[in-house]
Amino acid sequence: MTVPLHHALQDGGARAWQLPVDASCAGMARSLLTSTLVSAGLPEDLIDAAALAVSELATNALVHAAYGGSPQSRMTMELWTYARMCPKPQLVVSIFDACRRWKNGRKDSDAFEEHGNGLTIVSAVTEGWDVHLTRARLAPSPTPGKAVHCALALPSNWLRPYAADVTPAQAARRLANFLTARGIPLDLNGGLNGVYLLRVPPDLNVWIEPQAFAFKPGDADRIRRPFFDLESVTESVLHYHEQHTAARAPGPR
């Protein structure tokens, strides 16, 4: 199943697909992503790199989460892709699975050493990879898990920023809708001086200002992101929520 989420990739939208949790997942992920990026008019070298990276991500998710995790993780795997402007124009490609565990909590290629060169290949053909706690986009009920994602450089003229056409009220509602659709409780207040405040448990505040989201996760520095990066901001908020409520969250760990 293919789910176009709101806008074209060039306009800050996303694409998400359910993947089969079997040996065909890597080939299907590669085919789905390639077709989408070709239709979006991206360069051939970027498409080839993304196809190779997503094949590795899907294979590793199958081996290390689907086969080794809980019954729910053996039924849930998704492919996501979206663009972001910060820290620079990039295409983000993610594989989600419903297993929260990450080997020894490390972010290194040894965590996936059993299947070929694993994330060493991903590192070689992209601008980097990471892992974060999040929730499924396509499951029928809120499904916690993790996403392993990589980022690829986009041509500077490919994105179509739209911040000037979006009000803080519109951006606040969209972010709230994205989070509630994935089962995250929140409280949205605002309008004072054109700024909205979205509160997410346990203690994260997101300010929706003219043309930007702003938030300060824990002791980290204040982060400010343009409205175009709605998908990326949603994932950051989800990660903070899941990271700080993991002990109480339902579902597999």
Side-chain angles (χ1 to χ4, degrees), residues 51-107:
L52 178 56
V54 79
S55 181
E56 289 295 330
L57 295 182
T59 298
N60 286 323
L62 179 69
V63 172
H64 296 275
Y67 286 165
S70 68
Q72 179 65 36
S73 71
R74 289 192 288 270
M75 297 186 295
T76 307
M77 190 184 300
E78 298 177 2
L79 162 62
W80 312 334
T81 189
Y82 56 87
R84 66 186 180 194
M85 293 181 65
C86 291
K88 62 181 181 178
Q90 291 177 315
L91 180 77
V92 178
V93 177
S94 302
I95 294 290
F96 170 87
D97 66 76
C99 179
R100 291 171 177 260
R101 289 190 297 274
W102 182 254
K103 186 176 179 180
N104 295 331
R106 298 176 305 163
K107 191 183 84 69

Side-chain angles (χ1 to χ4, degrees), residues 181-199:
R182 291 159 83 176
I184 303 300
L186 54 85
D187 182 25
L188 178 61
N189 300 285
L192 183 63
N193 297 322
V195 176
Y196 288 75
L197 174 61
L198 190 151
R199 294 188 174 94

Side-chain angles (χ1 to χ4, degrees), residues 22-229:
D22 59 34
S24 69
C25 68
M28 180 170 289
R30 188 168 56 246
S31 176
L32 290 167
L33 185 63
T34 297
S35 176
T36 296
L37 301 187
V38 168
S39 297
L42 285 167
E44 184 176 351
D45 58 344
L46 186 154
I47 295 171
D48 290 345
L52 178 56
V54 79
S55 181
E56 289 295 330
L57 295 182
T59 298
N60 286 323
L62 179 69
V63 172
H64 296 275
Y67 286 165
S70 68
Q72 179 65 36
S73 71
R74 289 192 288 270
M75 297 186 295
T76 307
M77 190 184 300
E78 298 177 2
L79 162 62
W80 312 334
T81 189
Y82 56 87
R84 66 186 180 194
M85 293 181 65
C86 291
K88 62 181 181 178
Q90 291 177 315
L91 180 77
V92 178
V93 177
S94 302
I95 294 290
F96 170 87
D97 66 76
C99 179
R100 291 171 177 260
R101 289 190 297 274
W102 182 254
K103 186 176 179 180
N104 295 331
R106 298 176 305 163
K107 191 183 84 69
D108 58 44
S109 58
D110 290 342
F112 287 112
E113 62 189 359
E114 290 92 338
H115 202 90
N117 291 318
L119 294 179
T120 302
I121 294 175
V122 177
S123 294
V125 300
T126 71
E127 294 196 318
W129 65 272
D130 207 342
V131 58
H132 68 279
L133 295 176
T134 184
R135 293 191 179 188
R137 292 172 179 249
L138 306 177
S141 59
T143 302
K146 70 177 181 296
V148 183
H149 63 271
C150 61
L152 300 98
L154 285 169
S156 59
N157 61 350
W158 185 76
L159 300 179
R160 298 191 292 243
Y162 60 85
D165 300 325
V166 177
T167 68
Q170 292 170 327
R173 284 194 295 269
R174 290 187 65 200
L175 178 57
N177 289 341
F178 276 29
L179 293 169
T180 55
R182 291 159 83 176
I184 303 300
L186 54 85
D187 182 25
L188 178 61
N189 300 285
L192 183 63
N193 297 322
V195 176
Y196 288 75
L197 174 61
L198 190 151
R199 294 188 174 94
V200 178
D203 57 6
L204 182 63
N205 292 331
V206 183
W207 291 270
I208 300 89
E209 307 168 347
Q211 301 191 10
F213 301 102
F215 53 102
K216 189 178 183 299
D219 296 329
D221 294 337
R222 181 180 171 92
I223 297 170
R224 197 168 187 270
R225 293 290 182 264
F227 289 160
F228 185 96
D229 285 5

